[in-house]
Amino acid sequence: MLDIVKKLFGVFIAILYKLTPKKDIVLFHSDLYRDNAKYLYEYIKGKTDYSLVWILNDKRLVKELNKNGIRAVYSLSLKCALTCARLKMIITTNLPPISTMYINPIIVQVFHGFGTKQNPTDYVYSRQIKQVQKQLRNIDYIICLSKRDNEYFFPKEKLQIDDKYPEYLPLGLPRNDMLIDSTKMKICTKKLVENFGLKRNEKVILYAPTWREKPEGSDFNDYWFFDKKETEKFELYLREGNYVLLLRPHHHCLRDSNFRDKIMDITNEYPNTFKFVGADIWSDTQEILCITDILITDFSSIYVDYLLTNRPIIYLDMDTEDYVKHRGLVIDYYNDLHTPGPKVSSLDQIVNYLEELGSGVDKYEKIRKKSLYFYHDNADGNSTERVGKLVLELL
């Protein structure tokens, strides 16, 4: 029903768009005020006479942004329709809003993750693929990390699009520049240490596996792979070793209140060792990566960004076969060039690797550097400027 409403809304916008000659708005589209859209917005503001507006699905966030001087509109509102009627460009971290499918502004996609997973078009229903086809036809440019991304990310052959198709530009992702800038990292670290109540000499481990896209919904056991005894053992090891573990589930997992409750059970029981840092607590993942000394993840593209820091990564190998079967990967998970770190399937293996790092041995350091250039054509900290200049030239 909601899709029908969005399509009807899109038709209404299309009529307004044709009747409105003035095109003087750049629209920023994301789930929150974050990610590549945020960093582009902050680069572009003050450099153009175009009005910059955010479109969001969260009324509370729209109100908050407007209060802070950032113009924002709710996605299904008259204000949104009137805004879209004057669009010159959309900058989006996902597919463009369905409501804008029937108009033709310039669309620049700066996607929220590249490098690891099979494209959704390989497993979604045909009805959804048709919708993706329509939305992709509207996109002019896809900003990506490398020429390799063109091979698997919304491939033209699988989508069977013969006419207009996006141009792939491996300019790098704006959000990642801060991971190369030591000054910005120090400022960010100081801010987050104070905000999360961390001790300055604590070693920070970020625990961030990806979302399991299962029809029955998110299961806590697909995120936290340890039973109560193992959790107690892990907590003791971390506490005695002067570690703190930040728990950051994929934001889709947190739609399930039961999932959130189970995480809070852990962090409430061990508040000094386990800390919840979900997107609703701290929206900017890159800022959390700045304070992270060691990353524990799996197939999530978060590690592709984290490679820019050349810090250690631990890869969970708990349900790889099942994930490959149901979602699929575009990497060889057991190839160290693709995943430059130990693949672990038990708590003991995690502890053993932490012990190894604690002794000063980092045997994956060299392969991480090689892996960086497997995923990134540009790892120079200038992605925001490259993409920002492109946007300003297109306006």
Side-chain angles (χ1 to χ4, degrees):
M1 182 64 184
L2 183 58
D3 281 351
I4 295 173
V5 171
K6 286 180 179 179
K7 287 178 181 178
L8 290 174
F9 189 59
V11 173
F12 174 57
I13 288 173
I15 295 169
L16 290 178
Y17 188 80
K18 288 180 180 179
L19 296 173
T20 308
K22 190 176 184 180
K23 308 299 179 193
D24 62 347
I25 289 177
V26 178
L27 192 71
F28 292 81
H29 172 238
S30 186
D31 61 331
L32 297 168
Y33 179 72
R34 65 172 180 170
D35 215 290
N36 296 303
K38 168 190 167 183
Y39 291 100
L40 274 178
Y41 171 85
E42 292 178 351
Y43 176 86
I44 293 167
K45 67 179 180 180
K47 294 183 174 70
T48 179
D49 292 330
Y50 283 83
S51 297
L52 309 181
V53 184
W54 282 76
I55 178 173
L56 297 158
N57 296 325
D58 185 335
K59 290 182 179 179
R60 178 197 56 79
L61 182 55
V62 168
K63 186 177 180 180
E64 182 182 319
L65 289 181
N66 281 309
K67 185 179 179 181
N68 292 328
I70 298 169
R71 194 171 160 195
V73 295
Y74 176 60
S75 56
L76 287 175
S77 67
L78 180 58
K79 275 189 178 180
C80 176
L82 294 173
T83 299
C84 289
R86 293 164 49 195
L87 283 187
K88 175 70 174 182
M89 178 184 288
I90 299 174
I91 295 173
T92 177
T93 60
N94 211 313
L95 289 171
I98 294 174
S99 55
T100 62
M101 283 171 57
Y102 306 103
I103 58 177
N104 60 343
I106 300 166
I107 298 182
V108 179
Q109 185 197 59
V110 278
F111 200 66
H112 57 271
F114 286 100
T116 61
K117 299 175 186 177
Q118 198 169 57
N119 200 263
T121 53
D122 290 308
Y123 66 89
V124 297
Y125 298 114
S126 57
R127 176 182 60 82
Q128 292 172 290
I129 290 177
K130 288 178 180 177
Q131 182 172 296
V132 169
Q133 287 173 329
K134 289 178 182 177
Q135 289 171 285
L136 271 176
R137 281 191 178 96
N138 286 359
I139 296 175
D140 296 281
Y141 302 97
I142 292 178
I143 309 301
C144 54
L145 294 175
S146 72
K147 294 182 180 70
R148 170 180 167 268
D149 296 326
N150 192 16
E151 298 171 7
Y152 68 88
F153 186 75
F154 291 123
K156 185 174 183 179
E157 297 75 22
K158 287 189 177 177
L159 285 172
Q160 299 176 352
I161 296 177
D162 297 322
D163 50 359
K164 181 176 178 289
Y165 197 72
E167 180 180 354
Y168 286 72
L169 299 175
L171 303 178
L173 300 183
R175 69 183 184 199
N176 286 335
D177 287 349
M178 70 186 308
L179 298 177
I180 301 172
D181 188 323
S182 58
T183 301
K184 287 183 179 178
M185 287 187 76
K186 285 178 183 176
I187 293 169
C188 183
T189 298
K190 184 176 184 296
K191 178 174 68 174
L192 267 69
V193 164
E194 292 174 358
N195 192 277
F196 295 151
L198 306 178
K199 298 172 187 173
R200 294 191 179 276
N201 61 340
E202 275 183 320
K203 288 164 281 189
V204 177
I205 302 174
L206 176 61
Y207 184 85
T210 196
W211 177 44
R212 269 63 176 170
E213 293 145 284
K214 294 184 175 181
E216 63 271 21
S218 301
D219 189 323
F220 183 72
N221 295 324
D222 292 330
Y223 171 78
W224 187 252
F225 296 97
F226 315 108
D227 61 26
K228 186 169 178 56
K229 283 188 177 180
E230 288 174 319
T231 300
E232 291 172 355
K233 178 181 176 181
F234 198 14
E235 191 277 333
L236 179 61
Y237 174 81
L238 294 172
R239 177 160 41 88
E240 291 181 344
N242 199 32
Y243 290 101
V244 62
L245 190 78
L246 305 183
L247 300 169
R248 188 172 178 87
H250 192 285
H251 64 276
H252 285 327
C253 298
L254 298 175
R255 294 171 179 170
D256 182 349
S257 59
N258 185 52
F259 189 107
R260 176 185 287 274
D261 290 344
K262 289 183 178 179
I263 285 186
M264 299 314 294
D265 286 345
I266 294 175
T267 57
N268 289 336
E269 187 169 358
Y270 307 108
N272 296 320
T273 310
F274 296 126
K275 294 183 182 291
F276 173 62
V277 292
D280 55 342
I281 300 293
W282 201 269
S283 63
D284 197 318
T285 303
Q286 260 53 27
E287 291 187 340
I288 293 177
L289 290 180
C290 285
I291 65 167
T292 298
D293 297 301
I294 301 165
L295 173 65
I296 300 178
T297 187
D298 49 17
F299 331 107
S300 170
S301 61
I302 191 172
Y303 79 80
V304 176
D305 294 352
Y306 192 64
L307 282 170
L308 290 160
T309 68
N310 197 26
R311 295 172 183 172
I313 306 168
I314 298 173
Y315 294 89
L316 298 170
D317 186 21
M318 307 297 194
D319 61 345
T320 306
E321 186 177 342
D322 185 60
Y323 189 87
V324 170
K325 179 181 176 182
H326 289 99
R327 171 66 195 260
L329 299 173
V330 293
I331 56 169
D332 178 352
Y333 195 61
Y334 301 104
N335 181 338
D336 285 346
L337 177 64
H338 299 177
T339 52
K343 270 59 77 177
V344 301
S345 55
S346 70
L347 178 59
D348 286 343
Q349 288 177 320
I350 293 174
V351 168
N352 289 342
Y353 184 62
L354 292 175
E355 287 285 299
E356 191 176 289
L357 290 173
S359 70
V361 177
D362 185 0
K363 63 185 179 184
Y364 291 95
E365 183 178 7
K366 288 183 179 178
I367 193 66
R368 284 199 303 271
K369 291 179 180 178
K370 290 182 180 179
S371 182
L372 172 65
Y373 291 102
F374 173 76
Y375 290 107
H376 298 261
D377 283 358
N378 295 289
D380 55 7
N382 297 318
S383 296
T384 303
E385 185 176 1
R386 273 190 295 272
V387 182
K389 284 183 174 178
L390 169 71
V391 168
L392 292 172
E393 287 169 6
L394 292 171
L395 290 175

